[in-house]
Amino acid sequence: MTGYESYTTMTFARERRVLTVTLNRPDVLNAVNAAMHSEMARLFNDIAADAETDIVVLTGAGRAFCAGGDVDWLQGAIDDISIFDGIAVEAKQIVFGLLDLEKPVICRLNGDAVGLGATVALFCDIIIAADNARIGDLHVNIGLSAGDGGAIIWPQLIGYPRAKEFLMTGRLIDGSEAAALGLVNEAVPAEELDARVERMVGKLERGATQAIRYTKVSINVGLRQLAHAMMDASIAYESLTNVSADHREGLAAFRERRKPTFGRGRGSR
């Protein structure tokens, strides 16, 4: 599709003035590697410049939406800590790109959304989930601070006490529970997901395009201010945990399919 030929980790389809973007690494549950992270960092700016698109649907190929960071990529950032400098810049571009994009973004949450995958999903404007799709920010489970935007968006959606519980324990919940908490707009049986997304697309298509865009912009003013106030500190704390002993142990445990044995406090570095 014209304008998106350089993307290697996503596919693009257009119907009418609706652009469907599909994260496309299904063999690894659409886990984010260096290439996908870089492409996410410019995706929403490219969509903003796309004069043929009014509405965006964001989804994942296969049985997951996005499983978060690819383990090999995360290990690379431990082995060469300079890699995290680029990750930090791109992480801010992803969040700000989503918040700055005036066009409405519907998340078709077809399967699990974990870590950065959850962050991207939750920064979308309308989130329609399969009821068996799981969502959670599991940064702490591998010894990382939740620095890529989760600490910003979760409290705004479900309040601080609940957000702290989920972010500090790394607990996954299914789409039905997420909808009951107000984390996502609604959860439907997987076989009804496409029809429900299409109905929402139709409502937006029939609406006043400029009024819808400016309403989104107005709502996002507060979120943009919050993101600008918090992202640098959040990323800085994540970069500190990137070089911690707990993070090395967390990744090793994940690879070895065992529970991690974490240290305690500052002494675990």
Side-chain angles (χ1 to χ4, degrees), residues 1-265:
M1 180 181 295
T2 302
Y4 301 101
E5 296 88 352
S6 64
Y7 285 80
T8 62
T9 66
M10 307 173 194
T11 61
F12 299 82
R14 191 189 309 282
E15 185 174 353
R16 305 179 302 278
R17 295 184 62 80
V18 180
L19 181 70
T20 297
V21 182
T22 303
L23 307 179
N24 191 38
R25 301 186 71 222
D27 54 323
V28 290
L29 303 179
N30 303 316
V32 179
N33 61 2
M36 182 180 283
H37 203 256
S38 294
E39 290 179 0
M40 279 188 178
R42 62 186 173 92
L43 172 66
F44 303 105
N45 288 331
D46 286 348
I47 294 173
D50 179 358
E52 298 180 30
T53 293
D54 288 331
I55 299 165
V56 182
V57 176
L58 182 62
T59 191
R63 58 192 180 92
F65 176 75
C66 176
D70 181 273
V71 175
D72 291 337
W73 178 54
L74 296 176
Q75 184 65 52
I78 292 177
D79 298 338
D80 180 0
I81 59 175
S82 67
I83 291 175
F84 203 90
D85 294 338
I87 293 174
V89 173
E90 290 175 353
K92 290 189 289 185
Q93 291 171 336
I94 292 168
V95 170
F96 296 141
L98 267 164
L99 289 175
D100 290 341
L101 178 62
E102 295 183 357
K103 302 166 186 180
V105 182
I106 299 171
C107 177
R108 176 187 176 273
L109 197 66
N110 58 299
D112 290 0
V114 177
L116 177 59
T119 297
V120 169
L122 296 180
F123 270 105
C124 292
D125 303 306
I126 297 169
I127 308 144
I128 302 173
D131 57 10
N132 60 353
R134 298 178 301 170
I135 187 166
D137 193 312
L138 275 59
H139 277 76
V140 295
N141 291 0
I142 56 168
L144 280 177
S145 170
D148 60 18
I152 298 168
I153 194 62
W154 282 71
Q156 305 312 306
L157 298 175
I158 60 174
Y160 282 87
R162 283 174 172 163
K164 287 177 182 177
E165 175 190 346
F166 288 117
L167 294 175
M168 293 193 299
T169 64
R171 183 162 74 90
L172 283 168
I173 57 175
D174 64 25
S176 296
E177 185 175 355
L181 290 170
L183 193 65
V184 304
N185 292 77
E186 62 179 305
V188 299
E191 62 271 17
E192 298 177 16
L193 183 61
D194 286 335
R196 187 66 192 90
V197 169
E198 184 58 35
R199 284 199 295 274
M200 181 59 67
V201 167
K203 288 182 179 180
L204 293 174
E205 281 186 303
R206 293 188 295 273
T209 299
Q210 189 175 55
I212 290 170
R213 289 187 184 186
Y214 288 174
T215 297
K216 171 180 174 174
V217 170
S218 298
I219 294 170
N220 275 3
V221 167
L223 277 176
R224 290 171 65 196
Q225 291 172 338
L226 191 61
H228 280 285
M230 290 181 63
M231 277 299 291
D232 283 333
S234 296
I235 291 294
Y237 283 123
E238 186 170 353
S239 71
L240 289 175
T241 55
N242 179 63
V243 296
S244 69
D246 276 347
H247 182 40
R248 291 193 295 274
E249 164 63 10
L251 274 189
F254 183 85
R255 289 179 181 278
E256 296 163 14
R257 300 182 182 277
R258 60 174 173 81
K259 291 185 178 180
T261 303
F262 290 132
R264 292 292 181 267

